[in-house]
Each structure stands twice: as structure tokens, then as C-alpha cells.
Amino acid sequence: MLSMITSDFEVITADVDERAAENRMEEEGVPTLKVSEKLAEIKAEAVFETLTEEEKMNAVVIGADTSVILDDVIYGKPVDREDACRMLSSMSGRTHVVATGVAIIAGTSRKIFTEETLVEFYELDDQQRKTISEYCDSEEPYDKAGSYGIQGKGALLVKKIDGDNSNVVGLPVARLARELENMLK
């Protein structure tokens, strides 16, 4: 997705224990909609700290994290089929928030933001139940927050999206491009 903005990038993963960080944030009372933003910042800082001093002055580090939120509860990756079906059923007929936190570090400059997109699932009727069951029989739900990916067959569950579609995939590309442009002027 980042290649829509630039071809000059390298993917570096951060060695961050996200669950431990989320547990700490819960204890500290961090609002649910800010959890992804904080995780993005932790990831970006972890990568930034691995750079040399020269790299720190010349590189732009972007960290991102996406959460699926319903009723102020973050829906993480499902532990099994039953958990995936439970999550998808509970979101059916309702609107949930997909929040992607993004942290940009460029030298001494920092920009941190959260992009929110509202996603409405179809009602939990017989067709939706069948779609959920068939979807949970595939491999798709098990490595995704909220048990679905809009870029795959999870799109069959979705009635309406209000906001940035790329945000639901995991990176608010248009907003990120604008923030980078403003930051690097």
C-alpha cells in the first residue's frame, strides 16, 4: 500500500510485544480509540532506535496499527473458528469502527494520528450466517483483527463503509500521503 506514495521504502518490523503494551494501556486507562495510535508510536520508536545517528536524521519511519472496535471493545485476531464466528456474528447488523493509528518520525519531527472508518455489516439473517460459516471455514479470518479482511471474501459481510476503504485494509494511504507532504515541506 505504501508503494502508492513512494517506491523508496524498506519494511522493517519492530520487536514489540503488542499484547503486553495493550494490557499496560488498559491498566493506564488509555481510551480504546487511542490504543492503535499508541501501538503505532511504540513500533515506530522501536524501529527508529535501531537506526544510526545519520539514518535518524535522514530516514522517515512510519509505524501503523489497526484495531476493530465494537462497543468500546477491541476485537483482536480470533483464537479459533468459534471465536471468529462469534466476532463476525456480533458485528452483524451493526456498525463498528476500524481505527488505524499512524506514527511518523522524521528526524526530530513527529506526527501521530488516528484514522477512523465506520463499517456496517449486513443483518444476521440466514444468508449472513451462511456467509460467516463459509468464511470461517477458510483461512482468511485467523490472522486479522476482527476476524475479517475487506480485501478478501470478508467483503461479502460488509453492507456499507463510511470513510477511507484503505484504512480498513490497514493503512490510510491518502491521509498518510497528505501528512507526509505537510511534514516534509
Side-chain angles (χ1 to χ4, degrees), residues 86-146:
R86 177 194 59 78
M87 283 188 220
L88 297 171
S89 295
S90 70
M91 289 189 282
S92 293
R94 306 192 55 208
T95 300
H96 61 274
V97 176
V98 176
T100 301
V102 178
I104 307 167
I105 304 173
T108 58
S109 299
R110 306 276 192 277
K111 176 66 180 181
I112 300 165
F113 64 90
T114 298
E115 183 71 21
E116 296 176 33
T117 302
L118 300 177
V119 179
E120 181 183 349
F121 273 16
Y122 281 101
E123 293 291 328
L124 189 59
D125 56 13
D126 289 341
Q127 184 172 351
Q128 185 78 338
R129 282 185 184 88
K130 181 177 184 264
T131 303
I132 289 170
S133 181
E134 289 172 356
Y135 186 63
C136 289
D137 287 339
S138 77
E139 295 299 315
E140 276 192 41
Y142 302 102
D143 65 342
K144 294 172 181 64

Side-chain angles (χ1 to χ4, degrees), residues 23-43:
N23 291 338
R24 240 185 351 270
M25 285 185 257
E26 186 176 349
E27 290 170 8
E28 295 168 1
V30 173
T32 308
L33 283 171
K34 290 294 182 184
V35 169
S36 286
E37 190 173 287
K38 297 286 187 192
L39 284 171
E41 184 177 16
I42 291 167
K43 291 175 184 180

Side-chain angles (χ1 to χ4, degrees), residues 6-7 9 11 21 32 39 52 58 60 65 75 88 94 111 119 125 132-133 135 146 151 156 172 175 182:
T6 181
S7 61
F9 67 91
V11 176
T32 308
L39 284 171
T52 66
N58 296 311
V60 175
D65 186 83
Y75 281 39
L88 297 171
R94 306 192 55 208
K111 176 66 180 181
V119 179
D125 56 13
I132 289 170
S133 181
Y135 186 63
Q151 68 275 29
L156 299 174
R175 171 120 184 239
N182 289 333

Side-chain angles (χ1 to χ4, degrees), residues 9-98:
F9 67 91
E10 178 183 352
V11 176
I12 302 171
T13 57
D15 186 22
V16 173
D17 184 344
E18 293 183 42
R19 297 311 136 235
E22 284 177 343
N23 291 338
R24 240 185 351 270
M25 285 185 257
E26 186 176 349
E27 290 170 8
E28 295 168 1
V30 173
T32 308
L33 283 171
K34 290 294 182 184
V35 169
S36 286
E37 190 173 287
K38 297 286 187 192
L39 284 171
E41 184 177 16
I42 291 167
K43 291 175 184 180
E45 286 288 347
V47 169
F48 188 75
E49 290 307 315
T50 68
L51 304 178
T52 66
E53 289 307 312
E54 183 180 341
E55 289 171 330
K56 286 180 181 178
M57 293 311 298
N58 296 311
V60 175
V61 177
I62 301 167
D65 186 83
T66 302
S67 294
V68 173
I69 304 166
L70 179 68
D71 295 333
D72 208 34
V73 174
I74 295 174
Y75 281 39
K77 295 175 183 173
V79 295
D80 57 21
R81 185 183 191 287
E82 182 180 333
D83 194 32
C85 288
R86 177 194 59 78
M87 283 188 220
L88 297 171
S89 295
S90 70
M91 289 189 282
S92 293
R94 306 192 55 208
T95 300
H96 61 274
V97 176
V98 176

